[in-house]
Structures are given as structure tokens and as C-alpha cells.
């Protein structure tokens, strides 16, 4: 099929934190054999810390990724140009992070 949908969700448990979660939704579209276009949405919450701030004795503030959801997104072009060889470019945007452009070349043995 030319379109594939992938969904993943996980719970994160750490001591002295509320339960956190991470998840993603990914779409992969094959334009022609070997050329993939993708879009990914992600969400993360590591869980709110139940430990007080030692400097103030007050509860730690809830921030994106720690007690509040932090979101991000990817756009991908993935080209399998020869057997066992792949070139990939990802444009990544995440809340409170700078824009990232990532290029990769993979050679499979």
C-alpha cells in the first residue's frame, strides 16, 4: 500500500514523579518505489516532579515536558537509491527547541 500509518504510545514511570507518557503518529507515503515522504507528530510528558525545589521549599513549576505536554513534528524525505543504501532528510520542530535539519546516509551490510 502507498500509505502506512503508525501509532505508538507509552507510559513513563519514574520514582517521585507523576506518571508520564510519550506518543507519536507517523504517516509514510510512497510516491514511487524507493521514495518515501513522511510526517510525524510527537508528544512527551516526563511527569511532574513530586519533589519540592530545595532553594525555595515550594513545588516545582509545571513546564512543557514536565507536567505539561510538549509537542513536536517531523517532515521526512527518505530515498532508497540503491540496494542497501538510503539517503534521508528530516526537518524537525519541537516546542521550546530550535529548528533542526538532519541529513543521513545509511549503508546496510
Amino acid at each position: 500500500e502507498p500509505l502506512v500509518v503508525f501509532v505508538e504510545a507509552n507510559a513513563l514511570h519514574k520514582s517521585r514523579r507523576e506518571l508520564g507518557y510519550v506518543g507519536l503518529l507517523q504517516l509514510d507515503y510512497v510516491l514511487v518505489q524507493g521514495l518515501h515522504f513522511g510526517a510525524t507528530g510527537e508528544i512527551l510528558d516526563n511527569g511532574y516532579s513530586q519533589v519540592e525545589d530545595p532553594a525555595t521549599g515550594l513545588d516545582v513549576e509545571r513546564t512543557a515536558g514536565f507536567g505539561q505536554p510538549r509537542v513536536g513534528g517531523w517532515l521526512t524525505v527518505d530515498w532508497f537509491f540503491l540496494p542497501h543504501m538510503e539517503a534521508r532528510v528530516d526537518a524537525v520542530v519541537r516546542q521550546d527547541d530550535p529548528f533542526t535539519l538532519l541529513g543521513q546516509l545509511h549503508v546496510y551490510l
Side-chain angles (χ1 to χ4, degrees):
E1 298 298 320
L3 180 65
V4 175
V5 178
F6 175 75
V7 178
E8 181 178 344
N10 297 290
L12 303 175
H13 174 69
K14 296 179 182 176
S15 62
R16 299 204 260 189
R17 287 190 180 270
E18 291 178 354
L19 190 64
Y21 55 88
V22 63
L24 67 88
L25 168 66
Q26 188 173 54
L27 304 174
D28 183 354
Y29 181 74
V30 180
L31 185 62
V32 295
Q33 184 177 351
L35 184 59
H36 296 245
F37 292 93
T40 303
E42 58 184 24
I43 189 166
L44 165 69
D45 183 350
N46 281 298
Y48 177 69
S49 175
Q50 297 173 341
V51 179
E52 295 176 347
D53 183 341
T56 63
L58 301 173
D59 288 341
V60 176
E61 183 179 348
R62 291 179 185 266
T63 60
F66 299 93
Q68 293 179 353
R70 180 178 182 215
V71 295
W74 299 54
L75 291 177
T76 302
V77 177
D78 200 359
W79 181 34
F80 297 86
F81 58 94
L82 287 172
H84 305 282
M85 299 185 90
E86 166 193 11
R88 177 179 173 143
V89 176
D90 295 297
V92 183
V93 177
R94 288 187 174 128
Q95 185 177 352
D96 301 327
D97 279 351
F99 172 79
T100 303
L101 188 61
L102 175 65
Q104 302 173 62
L105 177 64
H106 297 149
V107 177
Y108 306 95
L109 301 178

